[in-house]
C-alpha cells in the first residue's frame, strides 16, 4: 500500500495519497485499510476530482477514510515548487 500510494501515475495523486498514507497508515484499522485499498483502485483523475470537490463522490466511496483524505488534503496543501 505504501508503494502504491506513491506510484499512482500522476504527481498530484502521488503527493496527496503518498503523504496521507505515510502520515496515517499506522493508525488505520483493518476495515479502514480495506476502504483505503478500494479508494486506491479508483482512477487518479476521478479520485482527485472527488477529493478537491470538483465532482460528487458516490455514496459507496464517501466513507470515513475518504473524509480523512479530504481533511488531510485541506490541512496539508501541496506546496508549489
Amino acid at each position: 500500500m505504501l508503494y502504491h500510494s506513491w506510484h499512482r501515475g500522476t504527481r498530484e495523486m502521488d503527493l496527496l495519497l503518498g503523504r496521507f498514507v505515510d502520515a496515517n497508515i499506522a493508525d488505520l484499522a483493518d476495515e479502514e485499510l480495506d476502504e483505503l485499498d478500494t479508494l486506491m483502485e479508483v482512477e487518479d483523475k476521478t479520485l482527485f476530482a472527488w477529493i478537491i470537490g470538483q465532482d460528487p463522490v458516490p455514496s459507496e466511496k464517501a466513507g470515513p477514510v475518504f473524509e480523512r483524505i479530504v481533511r488531510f488534503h485541506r490541512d496539508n496543501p501541496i506546496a508549489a515548487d
Side-chain angles (χ1 to χ4, degrees):
M1 191 166 293
L2 288 169
Y3 178 85
H4 190 145
S5 69
W6 278 105
H7 297 87
R8 298 282 307 169
T10 63
R11 186 68 179 144
E12 294 84 358
M13 287 305 296
D14 290 350
L15 289 169
L16 198 152
L17 279 182
R19 292 180 325 125
F20 173 81
V21 171
D22 281 353
N24 293 281
I25 196 164
D27 299 326
L28 297 176
D30 288 343
E31 59 274 358
E32 292 171 316
L33 290 170
D34 290 342
E35 182 184 341
L36 178 59
D37 190 46
T38 299
L39 287 170
M40 289 179 55
E41 296 303 319
V42 175
E43 178 184 274
D44 281 0
K45 181 179 177 180
T46 301
L47 185 55
F48 191 74
W50 294 346
I51 291 170
I52 66 171
Q54 180 179 339
D55 291 336
V57 183
S59 59
E60 67 273 7
K61 301 291 186 186
V65 173
F66 178 80
E67 294 303 322
R68 284 179 70 174
I69 293 169
V70 171
R71 279 193 308 274
F72 183 86
H73 171 64
R74 182 190 63 226
D75 296 343
N76 302 281
I78 300 169
D81 291 337

